Amino acid sequence: MSMSNSAVLPIATVGEKILAQHAQAVIEFDHSIQLLAENMLTTMIAANGVGIAAPQVFSSVAMFIMASRPNPRYPDAPNMSPVVVINPHIIERSTLMELAEEGCLSIPGQRIKIWRHAQIKVQYHDLNGNLISNTLVGFIARIFQHEFDHIQGITLLERSKMPEQQRPDTVN
Ligand SMILES: [Zn+2]
């Protein structure tokens, strides 16, 4: 991805309606989607994020970036090159779930413990419209599930109140 001429975009914070909306599928894999991806990447890097979803930059589009790497917000994050994920679907979810703290660029300064599926099978389109299938585990699977929630209009605040989160370990 070229990052020339890309811009840091304003980030929507909780309370903004766009974060509660179901994002629209991408139909045309055109220059505007490429440009949005570049600007999302630049914005995510500037904010020390390991992922960012289009609704967080005020575009109600089913697209997000995963880009795990160690940074001041997540010192133990694994290294992976940025992946642009468009029209995502979770095909399978492991019954095994893991509990860990998550932050969100749209919820500044807060960390919330969230149960996520330890392994997921996913499908999505890349920037060229190619269909990609992948199996994700651990921290990367967690990022995908977090960003996938944004596409459905769900933030950590709603997720933390969902029934599957009510396990003994979540007390305290
Ligand atoms: Zn988030």
Side-chain angles (χ1 to χ4, degrees):
M1 232 185 312
S2 148
M3 290 187 51
S4 55
N5 304 317
S6 61
V8 173
L9 304 171
I11 295 177
T13 51
V14 280
E16 299 276 4
K17 278 183 183 163
I18 196 158
L19 292 177
Q21 290 171 3
H22 204 287
Q24 298 295 306
V26 172
I27 296 160
E28 303 251 15
F29 294 81
D30 58 11
H31 180 71
S32 69
I33 289 299
Q34 178 83 38
L35 187 63
L36 177 59
E38 289 175 12
N39 290 340
M40 284 169 60
L41 183 62
T42 300
T43 304
M44 187 199 70
I45 290 169
N48 284 321
V50 292
I52 193 167
Q56 293 184 276
V57 293
F58 296 92
S59 289
S60 196
V61 170
M63 174 162 115
F64 60 76
I65 295 176
M66 305 190 290
S68 170
R69 70 200 182 290
N71 70 48
R73 288 178 69 241
Y74 294 95
D76 300 321
N79 255 311
M80 73 179 283
S81 302
V83 175
V84 178
V85 172
I86 299 173
N87 301 337
H89 294 281
I90 300 179
I91 306 301
E92 271 183 53
R93 296 165 168 86
S94 64
T95 41
L96 178 66
M97 296 182 81
E98 293 171 342
L99 182 66
E101 279 194 343
E102 292 180 21
C104 179
L105 298 179
S106 296
I107 312 172
Q110 268 199 62
R111 291 292 180 107
I112 302 177
K113 277 188 168 183
I114 299 285
W115 286 99
R116 299 286 188 190
H117 300 277
Q119 181 171 315
I120 53 174
K121 284 188 183 170
V122 302
Q123 275 190 347
Y124 56 89
H125 288 106
D126 68 12
L127 270 175
N128 298 315
N130 302 309
L131 187 64
I132 310 291
S133 298
N134 211 343
T135 298
L136 307 175
V137 298
F139 191 71
I140 308 300
R142 177 171 294 275
I143 295 174
F144 193 102
Q145 289 168 82
H146 177 115
E147 304 307 335
F148 185 77
D149 274 353
H150 278 303
I151 300 304
Q152 322 297 319
I154 297 167
T155 73
L156 288 181
L157 300 182
E158 293 81 46
R159 175 57 66 188
S160 67
K161 295 182 178 78
M162 288 184 181
E164 87 277 357
Q165 300 295 324
Q166 307 311 311
R167 296 176 175 220
D169 318 48
T170 54
V171 178
N172 297 321

